[in-house]
Amino acid sequence: MLLNQFLLLAAALFCIGVYGVLVRKSGVLVLMSIELILNAVNLNLIAFSAELGAPLGVSGHVFALFVVAVAAAEVGVGLAMVLMLYRNSQSIDLEKIDLLKG
Amino acid sequence: MSALIVAAEANIAQQVAFWFLALIAIGCALKVVTTAHVVRAALYLVGVLGSVGCLYLLAAAEFVATTQFMVYIGAIIVLIIFGVMLTRAPLGPMPEVAEEKRVGGALVALLLLAVMGYALIDGFSDEGLGPDDEIALLNGIDPESLPDSLDISEVNNRFELAEAIAEADLSDEEIAEIEELPLTNTQVVADSIFSTYIVPFEAVSVLLLAALIGAIVLARKE
């Protein structure tokens, strides 16, 4: 297998995630698109780690594990914020949250 | 069963598996960002995460693949579905895409893909997936340190080494020596996390604690 196959697939997933973050209206859906982006990054890390091989390349695996842990923390806090938003304004439509708009 | 092979030898089974998983991942990802049902988006995300986990297995990252399945699919998706439930997301179709942003968003994404694709093809074309030198193929095990009664002339990677060890007839002290060697990637990752990367490991624990407390404080009822 070529290294490029994994990297291009990760780039495609990243761009689909970017599209999702830009276009989606609901807060939960934006968080899901962010998860897509993080998975694309993880795929990249694992691909480079496989190219180097252990013992040097194992840093890629360790980094990917830390990314998974940080993603879990981020989704937890992000969902808590979305919940608070829902409680205050009864909707999670990000278009309607424009209190700071001039 | 052979491990990652350098690009010169195309392995049909690996290619079939890769393209099958890649098409599932891209298809489910596209559905995540375009579907009008929120719950279906969460389930399509499970499809993406599952296929990416299987791609990790294809790249010989078994510990990360297991973590992906258990933590990402088993915990993060469940958390997202709870979030969908608690914010009373509509169970039927709803226009979840901002219409006027769709063209701009697609343009940005395609431009990004073009730039990244050009950089990747320019930088990494024809590089095979899989280490070239013997020490890395054996996960860092020095062939000199293996017991002499083990025939490693035909061993190319750590999977064949494990097979050779299983088939060979070794004495008890030789087996005890071999057990210390990092034959699987999981062992190398474990050695690495608890020696080289112990500080980031502890820092991530503190981060998770902070996130846990933060989420509870944010979301409790007044």
Side-chain angles (χ1 to χ4, degrees):
Chain A
M1 285 179 289
L2 296 172
L3 179 62
N4 242 353
Q5 288 177 315
F6 280 85
L7 298 183
L8 286 169
L9 173 66
L13 283 175
F14 187 90
C15 294
I16 295 175
V18 164
Y19 173 75
V21 168
L22 290 174
V23 143
R24 286 302 211 172
K25 282 199 292 191
S26 156
V28 180
L29 285 165
V30 169
L31 280 171
M32 285 194 233
S33 308
I34 293 178
E35 292 306 314
L36 270 180
I37 293 176
L38 288 168
N39 268 284
V41 168
N42 260 353
L43 194 57
N44 236 342
L45 285 167
I46 298 288
F48 278 114
S49 161
E51 193 212 357
L52 281 179
L56 223 89
V58 81
S59 316
H61 291 201
V62 173
F63 203 157
L65 288 171
F66 289 150
V67 168
V68 173
V70 170
E74 165 222 339
V75 164
V77 176
L79 278 173
M81 289 200 291
V82 167
L83 229 73
M84 267 188 39
L85 203 60
Y86 176 75
R87 229 181 256 153
N88 279 333
S89 54
Q90 294 309 310
S91 100
I92 49 174
D93 188 348
L94 296 175
E95 308 265 291
K96 303 210 177 95
I97 319 255
D98 54 1
L99 293 172
L100 282 177
K101 216 172 197 173
Chain B
M1 173 197 159
S2 51
L4 314 163
I5 299 182
V6 189
E9 316 154 27
N11 189 324
I12 301 292
Q14 284 176 342
Q15 291 293 328
V16 167
F18 175 82
W19 286 110
F20 177 67
L21 292 168
L23 286 171
I24 292 183
I26 300 271
C28 288
L30 284 170
K31 286 299 265 181
V32 167
V33 296
T34 56
T35 184
H37 298 73
V38 184
V39 183
R40 284 189 202 177
L43 296 175
Y44 281 124
L45 190 61
V46 172
V48 176
L49 297 175
S51 57
V52 168
C54 295
L55 280 166
Y56 295 162
L57 279 175
L58 201 57
E62 64 266 5
F63 185 64
V64 186
T66 313
T67 305
Q68 166 97 350
F69 279 107
M70 286 201 297
V71 172
Y72 244 118
I73 299 183
I76 295 182
I77 293 287
V78 171
L79 202 55
I80 287 179
I81 294 186
F82 265 107
V84 165
M85 174 187 85
L86 289 171
T87 54
R88 306 282 195 282
L91 290 178
M94 237 197 72
E96 289 289 345
V97 171
E99 290 299 323
E100 62 275 2
K101 288 191 197 162
R102 200 189 283 200
V103 173
L107 256 151
V108 168
L110 285 171
L111 191 63
L112 195 58
L113 183 62
V115 170
M116 282 202 284
Y118 175 73
L120 289 172
I121 293 178
D122 195 41
F124 294 106
S125 50
D126 287 338
E127 272 199 38
L129 190 72
D132 288 336
D133 57 296
E134 287 179 15
I135 300 278
L137 272 172
L138 289 176
N139 260 10
I141 300 174
D142 191 2
E144 313 287 317
S145 67
L146 294 168
D148 295 323
S149 53
L150 202 58
D151 176 21
I152 52 168
S153 52
E154 298 190 7
V155 163
N156 288 329
N157 49 58
R158 58 183 170 95
F159 298 103
E160 294 177 7
L161 177 63
E163 274 180 32
I165 289 177
E167 288 168 7
D169 203 8
L170 300 166
S171 66
D172 285 335
E173 323 79 56
E174 288 175 334
I175 291 183
E177 270 174 38
I178 288 190
E179 269 173 15
E180 301 292 314
L181 295 172
L183 281 175
T184 62
N185 260 343
T186 309
Q187 279 167 301
V188 186
V189 166
D191 287 340
S192 182
I193 286 185
F194 289 107
S195 60
T196 319
Y197 295 106
I198 184 74
V199 176
F201 173 71
E202 300 294 340
V204 164
S205 312
V206 175
L207 172 80
L208 286 171
L209 178 69
L212 174 70
I213 296 179
I216 292 177
V217 164
L218 278 177
R220 69 179 170 185
K221 289 222 182 268
E222 299 301 311

